[in-house]
Amino acid sequence: DTGVSQDPRHKITKRGQNVTFRCDPISEHNRLYWYRQTLGQGPEFLTYFQNEAQLEKSRLLSDRFSAERPKGSFSTLEIQRTEQGDSAMYLCASSPSRDSWVGFFGQGTRLTVV
Amino acid sequence: DAKTTQPNSMESNEEEPVHLPCNHSTISGTDYIHWYRQLPSQGPEYVIHGLTSNVNNRMASLAIAEDRKSSTLILHRATLRDAAVYYCILGAGNEKLTFGTGTRLTIIP
């Protein structure tokens, strides 16, 4: 078990471009979460999946953001028409669904929009 | 979501115990108390959680007040590797976590 894996670790993109991040959770973890973290702040919840079903989306997740988990395993987070305000660390976490919340976070993808 | 209040920062000497406080006066009966920490350039890491009784694990202890309106995370012997931001979070079972800004712990050699 290698933990939660995120790819890429760093991404620099020009404003207006689309970017996609990938998260591979711990195997057999049914729940997968996406968070966003800006400098000096705690992580903010974006969305989460139970298997392939997207159960909740934060109002932070504008229509430029979309997340998928097509086969209930890995997940992707896409940002369309990136803006400078999208610059942040994007964190993925997974957990086994039955237990009281013990979350395992990846190391994140740092996005810089220039 | 019920809110937690933590000091912005704390310092402690290496090899001494550290007590990190958290106030949560609006906690509901079903809210667990979770602690996570985030080392520099890392994702958050689970530390401990509890509901009513004090809890111990290999990383830390969690002392919960009898009225559950406050709790304290105890690191028994701080090392330089414990320097991190510590988050106290309330949540009911398996659901999203609502992070605050946490307590930045500095360990003095």
Side-chain angles (χ1 to χ4, degrees):
Chain A
D1 185 351
T2 58
V4 177
S5 177
Q6 292 190 245
D7 183 69
R9 292 290 310 279
H10 303 273
K11 177 72 176 178
I12 299 174
T13 191
K14 292 184 178 179
R15 191 174 53 184
Q17 297 294 306
N18 299 343
V19 294
T20 300
F21 310 140
R22 177 179 170 124
C23 172
D24 286 272
I26 294 172
S27 60
E28 300 182 358
H29 277 195
N30 294 327
R31 291 210 169 185
L32 186 148
Y33 300 74
W34 285 99
Y35 290 81
R36 180 175 70 184
Q37 185 173 26
T38 54
L39 202 60
Q41 302 298 312
E44 298 173 291
F45 169 78
L46 292 178
T47 187
Y48 85 91
F49 294 83
Q50 169 79 27
N51 297 315
E52 66 275 12
Q54 189 172 18
L55 296 188
E56 186 175 348
K57 291 167 55 173
S58 163
R59 64 179 182 274
L60 294 174
L61 214 65
S62 75
D63 56 5
R64 296 186 297 107
F65 288 69
S66 62
E68 294 183 342
R69 195 182 182 197
K71 297 182 179 179
S73 56
F74 74 92
S75 176
T76 58
L77 178 68
E78 181 183 16
I79 308 174
Q80 296 182 328
R81 305 181 304 280
T82 52
E83 302 172 356
Q84 286 189 320
D86 297 331
S87 296
M89 175 75 81
Y90 290 84
L91 294 160
C92 177
S94 70
S95 74
S97 64
R98 291 174 300 168
D99 292 343
S100 175
W101 219 96
V102 177
F104 298 83
F105 281 81
Q107 292 192 308
T109 294
R110 180 165 295 284
L111 173 66
T112 302
V113 181
V114 297
Chain B
D1 293 334
K3 187 179 170 66
T4 62
T5 303
Q6 300 178 253
N8 288 333
S9 62
M10 290 184 62
E11 288 185 348
S12 180
N13 294 320
E14 192 177 11
E15 299 185 4
E16 290 187 356
V18 181
H19 291 235
L20 295 162
C22 182
N23 289 320
H24 30 78
S25 59
T26 60
I27 190 171
S28 74
T30 56
D31 279 337
Y32 285 80
I33 301 159
H34 308 260
W35 283 83
Y36 280 74
R37 72 180 186 180
Q38 188 170 22
L39 280 64
S41 301
Q42 300 289 319
E45 174 188 29
Y46 168 81
V47 178
I48 200 166
H49 74 278
L51 185 60
T52 55
S53 303
N54 295 343
V55 184
N56 300 298
N57 67 21
R58 63 176 180 80
M59 290 182 70
S61 295
L62 176 60
I64 301 172
E66 196 169 331
D67 63 5
R68 301 209 326 128
K69 293 185 177 181
S70 65
S71 61
T72 302
L73 179 71
I74 303 165
L75 307 179
H76 294 286
R77 190 168 168 272
T79 70
L80 295 177
R81 289 177 295 178
D82 292 320
V85 178
Y86 287 78
Y87 297 98
C88 169
I89 303 163
L90 303 183
N94 189 7
E95 59 183 36
K96 68 187 181 191
L97 298 173
T98 301
F99 289 80
T101 51
T103 297
R104 181 172 299 278
L105 176 65
T106 301
I107 305 298
I108 302 167

